[in-house]
Coordinates of all heavy atoms in Angstrom, one line a residue:
M602 N 38.8 -4.9 238.5 CA 39.5 -3.9 237.8 C 40.9 -4.3 237.4 O 41.6 -4.8 238.2 CB 39.5 -2.6 238.6 CG 40.4 -1.5 238.0 SD 40.6 -0.1 239.0 CE 39.3 0.9 238.5
A603 N 41.2 -4.2 236.2 CA 42.6 -4.6 235.7 C 43.6 -3.6 236.2 O 43.3 -2.4 236.2 CB 42.6 -4.7 234.2
Q604 N 44.7 -4.1 236.6 CA 45.8 -3.2 237.0 C 46.5 -2.6 235.8 O 46.7 -3.2 234.8 CB 46.8 -4.0 237.9 CG 47.9 -3.1 238.4 CD 48.7 -3.8 239.4 OE1 48.4 -4.9 239.8 NE2 49.8 -3.1 239.9
D605 N 46.8 -1.3 235.9 CA 47.6 -0.6 234.9 C 49.0 -1.2 234.9 O 49.7 -1.2 235.8 CB 47.6 0.9 235.2 CG 48.4 1.7 234.2 OD1 48.8 1.1 233.2 OD2 48.5 2.9 234.3
R606 N 49.4 -1.8 233.7 CA 50.6 -2.4 233.6 C 51.8 -1.5 233.7 O 52.9 -1.9 233.9 CB 50.7 -3.1 232.2 CG 49.7 -4.2 232.0 CD 49.7 -4.7 230.6 NE 50.9 -5.5 230.5 CZ 51.8 -5.3 229.5 NH1 51.5 -4.4 228.5 NH2 52.8 -6.1 229.4
T607 N 51.6 -0.2 233.5 CA 52.7 0.8 233.5 C 53.1 1.2 234.9 O 54.0 1.9 235.1 CB 52.3 2.0 232.7 OG1 51.2 2.7 233.3 CG2 52.0 1.6 231.2
D608 N 52.4 0.8 236.0 CA 52.7 1.3 237.3 C 53.6 0.3 238.1 O 53.9 0.5 239.2 CB 51.5 1.6 238.1 CG 50.6 0.4 238.5 OD1 50.9 -0.7 238.0 OD2 49.7 0.6 239.2
I609 N 54.1 -0.7 237.4 CA 54.9 -1.7 238.1 C 56.3 -1.7 237.3 O 56.4 -1.9 236.1 CB 54.3 -3.1 238.0 CG1 53.0 -3.1 238.7 CG2 55.3 -4.1 238.6 CD1 52.3 -4.4 238.6
Q610 N 57.4 -1.5 238.1 CA 58.7 -1.5 237.6 C 59.2 -3.0 237.8 O 59.1 -3.5 238.9 CB 59.6 -0.5 238.2 CG 61.0 -0.6 237.7 CD 61.9 0.4 238.3 OE1 61.5 1.5 238.6 NE2 63.2 0.0 238.5
V611 N 59.8 -3.6 236.8 CA 60.3 -4.9 236.9 C 61.8 -4.8 236.7 O 62.3 -4.3 235.7 CB 59.7 -5.9 235.9 CG1 60.4 -7.2 235.9 CG2 58.2 -6.0 236.1
T612 N 62.6 -5.4 237.6 CA 64.1 -5.4 237.5 C 64.5 -6.9 237.4 O 64.1 -7.7 238.2 CB 64.7 -4.8 238.7 OG1 64.3 -3.4 238.9 CG2 66.2 -4.8 238.6
V613 N 65.1 -7.2 236.3 CA 65.6 -8.6 236.0 C 67.1 -8.6 236.3 O 67.9 -7.8 235.7 CB 65.3 -9.0 234.6 CG1 65.9 -10.3 234.3 CG2 63.9 -8.8 234.2
K614 N 67.5 -9.5 237.2 CA 68.9 -9.7 237.5 C 69.4 -11.0 236.9 O 68.9 -12.0 237.2 CB 69.1 -9.6 239.0 CG 70.6 -9.5 239.4 CD 71.2 -10.8 239.6 CE 72.7 -10.7 240.1 NZ 73.5 -11.8 239.6
D615 N 70.4 -10.9 236.1 CA 71.1 -12.1 235.6 C 72.5 -11.7 235.2 O 72.8 -10.6 234.9 CB 70.3 -12.5 234.3 CG 70.6 -14.0 234.0 OD1 71.8 -14.4 233.9 OD2 69.6 -14.7 233.8
S616 N 73.4 -12.7 235.3 CA 74.8 -12.5 235.0 C 75.0 -12.7 233.5 O 76.1 -12.4 233.0 CB 75.7 -13.4 235.8 OG 75.3 -14.7 235.5
N617 N 74.0 -13.1 232.8 CA 74.1 -13.4 231.4 C 73.2 -12.5 230.5 O 72.0 -12.5 230.6 CB 73.6 -14.9 231.2 CG 73.7 -15.3 229.7 OD1 73.7 -14.6 228.8 ND2 73.9 -16.6 229.6
D618 N 73.9 -11.6 229.8 CA 73.1 -10.6 229.0 C 72.2 -11.2 227.9 O 71.2 -10.8 227.6 CB 74.1 -9.6 228.3 CG 74.8 -8.7 229.2 OD1 74.2 -8.4 230.3 OD2 75.9 -8.2 228.9
E619 N 72.7 -12.4 227.4 CA 71.9 -13.1 226.4 C 70.6 -13.6 226.9 O 69.6 -13.5 226.3 CB 72.7 -14.2 225.8 CG 73.9 -13.8 224.9 CD 74.7 -14.9 224.3 OE1 74.1 -16.0 224.2 OE2 75.8 -14.7 224.0
A620 N 70.6 -14.1 228.2 CA 69.4 -14.6 228.8 C 68.4 -13.5 229.0 O 67.2 -13.6 228.8 CB 69.7 -15.3 230.1
V621 N 68.9 -12.3 229.5 CA 68.0 -11.2 229.7 C 67.4 -10.7 228.4 O 66.2 -10.5 228.3 CB 68.8 -10.0 230.4 CG1 67.9 -8.8 230.4 CG2 69.2 -10.4 231.8
A622 N 68.2 -10.6 227.3 CA 67.7 -10.2 226.0 C 66.7 -11.2 225.5 O 65.7 -10.8 224.9 CB 68.9 -10.1 225.0
K623 N 66.9 -12.5 225.7 CA 66.0 -13.5 225.2 C 64.7 -13.4 226.0 O 63.6 -13.4 225.4 CB 66.6 -14.9 225.4 CG 65.7 -16.0 224.9 CD 66.3 -17.4 225.1 CE 65.3 -18.5 224.7 NZ 65.9 -19.8 224.9
G624 N 64.7 -13.1 227.3 CA 63.5 -13.0 228.1 C 62.7 -11.7 227.6 O 61.5 -11.8 227.5
K625 N 63.4 -10.6 227.4 CA 62.8 -9.4 226.9 C 62.1 -9.6 225.6 O 61.0 -9.2 225.3 CB 63.7 -8.2 226.9 CG 63.0 -6.9 226.9 CD 63.9 -5.8 227.3 CE 63.0 -4.5 227.4 NZ 63.7 -3.4 227.8
H626 N 62.8 -10.4 224.7 CA 62.3 -10.6 223.3 C 61.0 -11.5 223.5 O 60.0 -11.3 222.8 CB 63.3 -11.3 222.5 CG 62.9 -11.7 221.1 ND1 62.6 -10.7 220.2 CD2 62.5 -12.9 220.6 CE1 62.2 -11.3 219.1 NE2 62.1 -12.6 219.3
T627 N 61.0 -12.5 224.3 CA 59.9 -13.3 224.6 C 58.7 -12.5 225.0 O 57.6 -12.6 224.6 CB 60.2 -14.4 225.6 OG1 61.2 -15.3 225.0 CG2 58.9 -15.3 225.9
R628 N 59.0 -11.5 226.0 CA 57.9 -10.6 226.5 C 57.4 -9.8 225.3 O 56.2 -9.6 225.2 CB 58.5 -9.8 227.6 CG 57.6 -8.7 228.1 CD 56.3 -9.3 228.7 NE 55.4 -8.2 228.9 CZ 55.2 -7.6 230.1 NH1 56.0 -7.9 231.1 NH2 54.3 -6.6 230.2
E629 N 58.2 -9.3 224.4 CA 57.8 -8.5 223.3 C 56.8 -9.3 222.4 O 55.8 -8.8 221.9 CB 59.0 -8.0 222.5 CG 59.8 -7.0 223.2 CD 61.1 -6.7 222.5 OE1 61.5 -7.4 221.6 OE2 61.8 -5.7 222.9
K630 N 57.2 -10.6 222.2 CA 56.3 -11.4 221.3 C 55.0 -11.7 222.0 O 53.9 -11.6 221.3 CB 57.0 -12.8 221.0 CG 58.2 -12.7 220.1 CD 58.7 -14.0 219.6 CE 58.8 -15.0 220.6 NZ 59.5 -16.3 220.1
L631 N 55.0 -11.9 223.3 CA 53.7 -12.1 224.0 C 52.9 -10.8 224.0 O 51.6 -10.9 223.8 CB 54.0 -12.5 225.5 CG 54.6 -13.8 225.7 CD1 55.0 -14.0 227.2 CD2 53.6 -14.9 225.4
D632 N 53.5 -9.7 224.1 CA 52.7 -8.4 224.1 C 52.2 -8.2 222.7 O 51.0 -7.7 222.6 CB 53.6 -7.3 224.5 CG 53.8 -7.2 226.0 OD1 53.2 -8.0 226.7 OD2 54.5 -6.3 226.5
L633 N 52.9 -8.5 221.7 CA 52.5 -8.3 220.3 C 51.2 -9.2 220.1 O 50.2 -8.7 219.5 CB 53.5 -8.7 219.3 CG 53.2 -8.6 217.8 CD1 52.8 -7.2 217.5 CD2 54.3 -9.1 216.9
G634 N 51.2 -10.4 220.6 CA 50.0 -11.3 220.5 C 48.9 -10.7 221.2 O 47.7 -10.7 220.7
S635 N 49.1 -10.1 222.4 CA 48.0 -9.5 223.1 C 47.5 -8.2 222.4 O 46.3 -8.0 222.5 CB 48.5 -9.1 224.5 OG 48.9 -10.2 225.3
V636 N 48.3 -7.5 221.8 CA 47.9 -6.3 221.0 C 47.0 -6.8 219.8 O 45.9 -6.3 219.6 CB 49.0 -5.5 220.4 CG1 48.6 -4.5 219.4 CG2 49.8 -4.8 221.6
K637 N 47.4 -7.9 219.2 CA 46.6 -8.4 218.0 C 45.2 -8.9 218.5 O 44.3 -8.9 217.8 CB 47.4 -9.6 217.4 CG 48.5 -9.1 216.5 CD 49.3 -10.3 215.9 CE 50.4 -9.8 215.0 NZ 51.2 -10.9 214.4
R638 N 45.2 -9.4 219.8 CA 43.9 -9.9 220.3 C 43.1 -8.8 221.0 O 42.1 -9.1 221.6 CB 44.2 -11.1 221.3 CG 44.7 -12.3 220.6 CD 44.7 -13.5 221.6 NE 45.3 -13.3 222.9 CZ 46.7 -13.2 223.1 NH1 47.5 -13.5 222.1 NH2 47.1 -13.0 224.3
H639 N 43.6 -7.6 220.9 CA 43.0 -6.4 221.5 C 42.9 -6.5 223.0 O 41.9 -6.0 223.6 CB 41.6 -6.2 220.9 CG 41.6 -6.1 219.4 ND1 42.1 -4.9 218.8 CD2 41.3 -6.9 218.4 CE1 42.1 -5.1 217.4 NE2 41.6 -6.3 217.2
V640 N 43.8 -7.2 223.6 CA 43.9 -7.2 225.1 C 44.3 -5.9 225.6 O 43.8 -5.4 226.6 CB 44.8 -8.3 225.6 CG1 45.0 -8.3 227.1 CG2 44.3 -9.7 225.1
F641 N 45.3 -5.3 224.9 CA 45.7 -3.9 225.2 C 46.3 -3.3 224.0 O 46.5 -4.0 223.0 CB 46.7 -3.8 226.4 CG 47.8 -4.8 226.4 CD1 48.9 -4.6 225.7 CD2 47.7 -5.9 227.3 CE1 50.0 -5.6 225.7 CE2 48.8 -6.8 227.3 CZ 49.9 -6.7 226.5
T642 N 46.5 -2.0 224.0 CA 46.9 -1.3 222.8 C 48.4 -1.4 222.6 O 49.2 -1.8 223.6 CB 46.6 0.2 223.0 OG1 47.4 0.8 224.0 CG2 45.1 0.4 223.2
Q643 N 48.9 -0.9 221.5 CA 50.4 -0.9 221.2 C 51.1 0.0 222.2 O 52.1 -0.3 222.7 CB 50.7 -0.5 219.8 CG 52.1 -0.5 219.5 CD 52.8 -1.9 219.6 OE1 52.3 -2.9 219.0 NE2 53.9 -2.0 220.3
A644 N 50.4 1.1 222.5 CA 51.0 2.1 223.5 C 51.1 1.4 224.8 O 52.2 1.6 225.5 CB 50.2 3.3 223.5
E645 N 50.1 0.7 225.3 CA 50.2 0.0 226.6 C 51.3 -1.1 226.6 O 52.0 -1.2 227.5 CB 48.9 -0.6 226.9 CG 47.8 0.4 227.2 CD 46.4 -0.2 227.3 OE1 46.1 -1.2 226.5 OE2 45.6 0.3 228.1
A646 N 51.4 -1.8 225.4 CA 52.5 -2.8 225.3 C 53.9 -2.2 225.4 O 54.7 -2.6 226.2 CB 52.3 -3.6 224.0
T647 N 54.1 -1.1 224.7 CA 55.3 -0.4 224.8 C 55.6 0.2 226.1 O 56.7 0.1 226.6 CB 55.3 0.8 223.7 OG1 55.1 0.2 222.4 CG2 56.6 1.5 223.7
A648 N 54.6 0.7 226.8 CA 54.8 1.3 228.1 C 55.2 0.2 229.1 O 56.1 0.4 230.0 CB 53.5 2.0 228.6
G649 N 54.6 -1.0 229.0 CA 54.9 -2.1 229.8 C 56.4 -2.5 229.6 O 57.1 -2.8 230.6
L650 N 56.8 -2.6 228.4 CA 58.2 -3.0 228.1 C 59.2 -2.0 228.6 O 60.3 -2.3 229.0 CB 58.4 -3.3 226.6 CG 57.8 -4.5 226.1 CD1 57.8 -4.5 224.6 CD2 58.5 -5.8 226.6
D651 N 58.8 -0.7 228.6 CA 59.7 0.4 229.0 C 59.9 0.3 230.5 O 60.8 1.0 231.1 CB 59.1 1.7 228.7 CG 59.2 2.0 227.2 OD1 59.9 1.3 226.5 OD2 58.5 3.0 226.7
H652 N 59.1 -0.5 231.3 CA 59.3 -0.6 232.7 C 60.1 -1.9 233.1 O 60.1 -2.3 234.3 CB 57.9 -0.6 233.4 CG 57.4 0.8 233.5 ND1 56.8 1.4 232.4 CD2 57.3 1.7 234.5 CE1 56.4 2.6 232.7 NE2 56.7 2.8 234.0
I653 N 60.7 -2.5 232.2 CA 61.6 -3.7 232.5 C 63.0 -3.3 232.4 O 63.5 -2.8 231.3 CB 61.3 -4.8 231.5 CG1 59.8 -5.3 231.6 CG2 62.2 -6.0 231.8 CD1 59.4 -6.3 230.6
Y654 N 63.7 -3.4 233.5 CA 65.1 -3.0 233.5 C 66.0 -4.2 233.8 O 65.6 -5.1 234.6 CB 65.4 -2.0 234.6 CG 64.5 -0.7 234.4 CD1 63.3 -0.6 235.0 CD2 64.9 0.3 233.6 CE1 62.5 0.5 234.9 CE2 64.1 1.4 233.4 CZ 62.9 1.5 234.0 OH 62.1 2.6 233.8
A655 N 67.2 -4.3 233.2 CA 68.1 -5.4 233.5 C 69.3 -5.0 234.2 O 69.7 -3.8 234.1 CB 68.5 -6.0 232.1
T656 N 69.8 -5.8 235.1 CA 71.0 -5.5 235.9 C 71.8 -6.8 236.1 O 71.2 -7.9 236.0 CB 70.6 -4.8 237.2 OG1 71.9 -4.5 237.9 CG2 69.8 -5.8 238.1
K657 N 73.0 -6.6 236.4 CA 73.9 -7.7 236.8 C 74.2 -7.6 238.3 O 74.9 -8.5 238.8 CB 75.2 -7.7 236.0 CG 75.0 -8.0 234.5 CD 76.4 -8.1 233.8 CE 76.3 -8.5 232.4 NZ 77.5 -8.7 231.8
D658 N 73.8 -6.6 238.9 CA 74.2 -6.3 240.3 C 73.0 -6.3 241.3 O 72.0 -5.6 241.1 CB 74.9 -4.9 240.4 CG 76.1 -4.8 239.4 OD1 76.9 -5.7 239.5 OD2 76.2 -3.8 238.7
Y659 N 73.2 -7.0 242.4 CA 72.2 -7.0 243.4 C 71.9 -5.6 244.0 O 70.7 -5.4 244.2 CB 72.6 -7.9 244.6 CG 72.5 -9.4 244.2 CD1 73.7 -10.2 244.1 CD2 71.3 -10.0 244.1 CE1 73.6 -11.5 243.8 CE2 71.2 -11.4 243.8 CZ 72.3 -12.1 243.6 OH 72.2 -13.4 243.3
P660 N 72.8 -4.7 244.2 CA 72.4 -3.4 244.8 C 71.4 -2.7 243.9 O 70.6 -1.9 244.5 CB 73.8 -2.7 244.8 CG 74.8 -3.8 245.0 CD 74.3 -4.9 244.1
D661 N 71.4 -2.9 242.6 CA 70.4 -2.3 241.8 C 69.0 -2.7 242.1 O 68.0 -2.2 241.6 CB 70.7 -2.6 240.3 CG 71.9 -1.9 239.8 OD1 72.4 -1.0 240.5 OD2 72.5 -2.3 238.8
M662 N 68.8 -3.8 242.9 CA 67.5 -4.3 243.3 C 67.1 -3.8 244.7 O 66.0 -4.2 245.2 CB 67.5 -5.8 243.2 CG 67.9 -6.4 241.9 SD 68.2 -8.1 241.8 CE 66.9 -8.8 242.7
S663 N 67.9 -3.0 245.3 CA 67.6 -2.6 246.7 C 66.2 -1.8 246.8 O 65.7 -1.8 247.9 CB 68.7 -1.7 247.2 OG 68.8 -0.5 246.5
H664 N 65.7 -1.3 245.8 CA 64.4 -0.5 245.8 C 63.2 -1.5 245.7 O 62.1 -1.1 245.8 CB 64.4 0.5 244.7 CG 64.4 -0.2 243.3 ND1 65.5 -0.7 242.7 CD2 63.4 -0.5 242.5 CE1 65.2 -1.2 241.6 NE2 63.9 -1.1 241.4
C665 N 63.5 -2.7 245.3 CA 62.4 -3.7 245.0 C 61.5 -4.0 246.3 O 62.0 -4.2 247.4 CB 62.9 -5.0 244.5 SG 63.7 -4.8 242.9
D666 N 60.2 -4.0 246.0 CA 59.3 -4.4 247.1 C 59.1 -5.9 247.2 O 58.7 -6.5 248.2 CB 57.9 -3.8 246.8 CG 57.9 -2.3 246.9 OD1 58.6 -1.8 247.8 OD2 57.2 -1.6 246.2
L667 N 59.4 -6.6 246.1 CA 59.2 -8.1 246.0 C 60.4 -8.6 245.1 O 60.6 -8.1 244.0 CB 57.9 -8.4 245.3 CG 57.6 -9.8 245.0 CD1 57.4 -10.6 246.3 CD2 56.3 -9.9 244.2
V668 N 61.0 -9.7 245.6 CA 62.1 -10.4 244.9 C 61.6 -11.8 244.6 O 61.2 -12.5 245.6 CB 63.4 -10.3 245.6 CG1 64.5 -11.1 244.8 CG2 63.9 -8.9 245.8
I669 N 61.6 -12.2 243.4 CA 61.2 -13.6 243.1 C 62.4 -14.3 242.5 O 63.0 -13.9 241.5 CB 60.1 -13.6 242.0 CG1 58.9 -12.9 242.6 CG2 59.8 -15.0 241.6 CD1 57.8 -12.7 241.6
E670 N 62.9 -15.3 243.1 CA 64.0 -16.1 242.6 C 63.4 -17.1 241.6 O 62.5 -17.8 241.8 CB 64.7 -16.9 243.8 CG 65.8 -17.8 243.4 CD 65.3 -19.2 242.9 OE1 64.4 -19.7 243.5 OE2 65.9 -19.6 241.9
A671 N 64.0 -17.0 240.4 CA 63.5 -17.9 239.3 C 64.6 -18.5 238.5 O 64.6 -18.7 237.3 CB 62.6 -17.0 238.4
A672 N 65.7 -18.9 239.3 CA 66.8 -19.6 238.6 C 66.4 -21.0 238.1 O 65.4 -21.5 238.7 CB 68.0 -19.7 239.6
V673 N 67.1 -21.5 237.2 CA 66.8 -22.8 236.7 C 66.9 -23.8 237.9 O 67.5 -23.5 238.9 CB 67.8 -23.3 235.6 CG1 67.6 -22.4 234.3 CG2 69.2 -23.2 236.0
E674 N 66.3 -24.9 237.8 CA 66.3 -25.9 238.9 C 67.6 -26.6 239.0 O 67.8 -27.7 238.5 CB 65.1 -26.9 238.7 CG 63.8 -26.3 238.8 CD 63.5 -25.5 240.1 OE1 63.9 -26.1 241.2 OE2 63.0 -24.4 240.0
N675 N 68.5 -25.8 239.5 CA 69.9 -26.3 239.7 C 70.3 -25.9 241.2 O 70.5 -24.8 241.5 CB 70.8 -25.5 238.7 CG 72.3 -25.9 238.9 OD1 72.8 -25.9 240.0 ND2 73.0 -26.0 237.8
L676 N 70.4 -27.0 242.0 CA 70.5 -26.7 243.4 C 71.8 -26.0 243.8 O 71.8 -25.1 244.6 CB 70.6 -28.1 244.2 CG 70.6 -28.0 245.7 CD1 69.5 -27.2 246.3 CD2 70.6 -29.4 246.3
E677 N 72.9 -26.2 243.1 CA 74.1 -25.5 243.3 C 74.0 -24.0 243.0 O 74.5 -23.2 243.7 CB 75.3 -26.1 242.6 CG 75.7 -27.5 243.1 CD 76.0 -27.5 244.6 OE1 76.7 -26.7 245.1 OE2 75.4 -28.4 245.2
L678 N 73.3 -23.7 241.9 CA 73.1 -22.3 241.5 C 72.2 -21.6 242.6 O 72.5 -20.5 243.0 CB 72.4 -22.2 240.2 CG 72.1 -20.8 239.7 CD1 73.3 -19.9 239.6 CD2 71.4 -20.9 238.3
K679 N 71.2 -22.3 243.0 CA 70.3 -21.7 244.1 C 71.1 -21.5 245.4 O 70.9 -20.4 246.0 CB 69.1 -22.6 244.3 CG 68.1 -22.5 243.1 CD 66.9 -23.4 243.3 CE 66.0 -23.4 242.1 NZ 65.2 -22.2 242.0
K680 N 71.9 -22.4 245.7 CA 72.7 -22.2 247.0 C 73.7 -21.0 246.8 O 73.8 -20.2 247.7 CB 73.6 -23.5 247.2 CG 72.8 -24.6 247.8 CD 73.8 -25.8 248.0 CE 73.0 -27.0 248.5 NZ 73.9 -28.2 248.7
K681 N 74.2 -20.8 245.6 CA 75.1 -19.7 245.3 C 74.3 -18.4 245.5 O 74.8 -17.4 246.0 CB 75.7 -19.9 243.9 CG 76.7 -18.8 243.6 CD 77.3 -19.0 242.2 CE 78.2 -17.9 241.8 NZ 78.7 -18.1 240.4
I682 N 73.1 -18.4 244.9 CA 72.3 -17.1 245.0 C 72.0 -16.8 246.4 O 72.2 -15.7 246.9 CB 71.0 -17.3 244.1 CG1 71.3 -17.4 242.6 CG2 70.0 -16.2 244.4 CD1 70.2 -17.8 241.8
F683 N 71.5 -17.8 247.1 CA 71.0 -17.5 248.5 C 72.1 -17.3 249.5 O 71.9 -16.7 250.6 CB 70.0 -18.6 249.0 CG 68.7 -18.5 248.4 CD1 68.3 -19.3 247.4 CD2 67.8 -17.5 248.8 CE1 67.0 -19.2 246.8 CE2 66.5 -17.4 248.2 CZ 66.2 -18.2 247.2
S684 N 73.3 -17.7 249.2 CA 74.5 -17.4 250.1 C 75.2 -16.1 249.8 O 76.0 -15.7 250.5 CB 75.4 -18.6 250.0 OG 76.1 -18.7 248.8
N685 N 74.9 -15.5 248.6 CA 75.5 -14.3 248.3 C 75.2 -13.2 249.3 O 74.0 -12.9 249.5 CB 75.1 -13.9 246.8 CG 75.8 -12.6 246.3 OD1 75.6 -11.6 246.9 ND2 76.5 -12.8 245.3
R686 N 76.2 -12.5 249.8 CA 75.9 -11.5 250.9 C 75.1 -10.3 250.3 O 74.3 -9.8 251.1 CB 77.2 -11.0 251.5 CG 78.1 -10.3 250.5 CD 79.4 -9.9 251.2 NE 80.4 -9.4 250.3 CZ 80.3 -8.1 249.8 NH1 79.4 -7.3 250.2 NH2 81.2 -7.7 248.9
R687 N 75.3 -10.0 249.1 CA 74.5 -8.9 248.5 C 73.0 -9.3 248.4 O 72.1 -8.5 248.6 CB 75.0 -8.5 247.1 CG 76.4 -7.9 247.2 CD 76.9 -7.4 245.9 NE 78.2 -6.8 246.0 CZ 79.1 -6.9 245.1 NH1 78.9 -7.6 244.0 NH2 80.3 -6.3 245.3
F688 N 72.7 -10.6 248.0 CA 71.3 -11.0 248.0 C 70.7 -11.0 249.4 O 69.6 -10.6 249.6 CB 71.2 -12.4 247.4 CG 69.8 -12.9 247.3 CD1 69.0 -12.5 246.3 CD2 69.3 -13.8 248.3 CE1 67.7 -13.0 246.2 CE2 68.0 -14.2 248.2 CZ 67.2 -13.8 247.1
K689 N 71.5 -11.4 250.4 CA 71.0 -11.5 251.7 C 70.6 -10.1 252.2 O 69.7 -10.0 253.1 CB 72.0 -12.1 252.7 CG 72.2 -13.6 252.5 CD 73.2 -14.2 253.4 CE 73.3 -15.7 253.3 NZ 74.2 -16.3 254.2
K690 N 71.2 -9.0 251.7 CA 70.9 -7.7 252.1 C 69.5 -7.3 251.6 O 68.9 -6.4 252.1 CB 71.9 -6.7 251.6 CG 73.2 -6.7 252.4 CD 74.2 -5.7 251.9 CE 75.5 -5.8 252.7 NZ 76.4 -4.7 252.2
L691 N 69.0 -8.0 250.6 CA 67.7 -7.7 250.0 C 66.6 -8.3 250.8 O 65.5 -7.8 250.8 CB 67.6 -8.2 248.6 CG 68.5 -7.6 247.5 CD1 68.4 -8.3 246.2 CD2 68.3 -6.1 247.4
I692 N 66.9 -9.4 251.5 CA 65.8 -10.1 252.2 C 65.9 -9.8 253.7 O 66.7 -9.2 254.3 CB 65.8 -11.6 252.0 CG1 67.2 -12.2 252.2 CG2 65.4 -11.8 250.5 CD1 67.2 -13.7 252.1

């Protein structure tokens, strides 16, 4: 059974608004392709996009059940993320 895409809230944390906007735009393009291939309806695609929230602050992620670190492969950046006291409160 396929999972209903609308029952999952996704929170994207980034300090760069442009990166978040680019990621959301990419998701929109992927969803449009899926609608064209009849994988799901336009309403389902819109509902899925409506469940993506962007934030610059770790506390906004305190409700998350799962946190996935997906920073670029930059060791210094990853050290900065994992040493942040606000991130540590999430794990």
Side-chain angles (χ1 to χ4, degrees):
M602 173 187 267
Q604 182 169 355
D605 181 2
R606 299 175 69 233
T607 61
D608 68 353
I609 298 173
Q610 179 178 325
V611 176
T612 302
V613 177
K614 192 269 181 210
D615 201 306
S616 58
N617 182 331
D618 290 333
E619 289 179 23
V621 171
K623 183 178 177 182
K625 196 161 185 177
H626 179 71
T627 298
R628 173 64 191 266
E629 290 169 349
K630 289 192 315 187
L631 291 170
D632 283 358
L633 178 60
S635 294
V636 169
K637 287 181 180 179
R638 290 189 313 279
H639 304 287
V640 174
F641 45 80
T642 66
Q643 182 62 52
E645 290 169 325
T647 300
L650 288 170
D651 288 345
H652 283 77
I653 299 175
Y654 302 94
T656 184
K657 290 184 176 184
D658 302 312
Y659 285 110
D661 292 341
M662 298 169 50
S663 63
H664 67 281
C665 294
D666 294 324
L667 174 67
V668 175
I669 300 171
E670 178 276 319
V673 297
E674 294 305 316
N675 176 317
L676 185 57
E677 292 306 312
L678 176 60
K679 289 179 183 285
K680 285 179 181 179
K681 182 178 176 182
I682 291 168
F683 284 104
S684 67
N685 184 296
R686 64 181 173 79
R687 290 184 181 143
F688 180 81
K689 288 181 178 182
K690 287 182 179 181
L691 295 175
I692 54 176

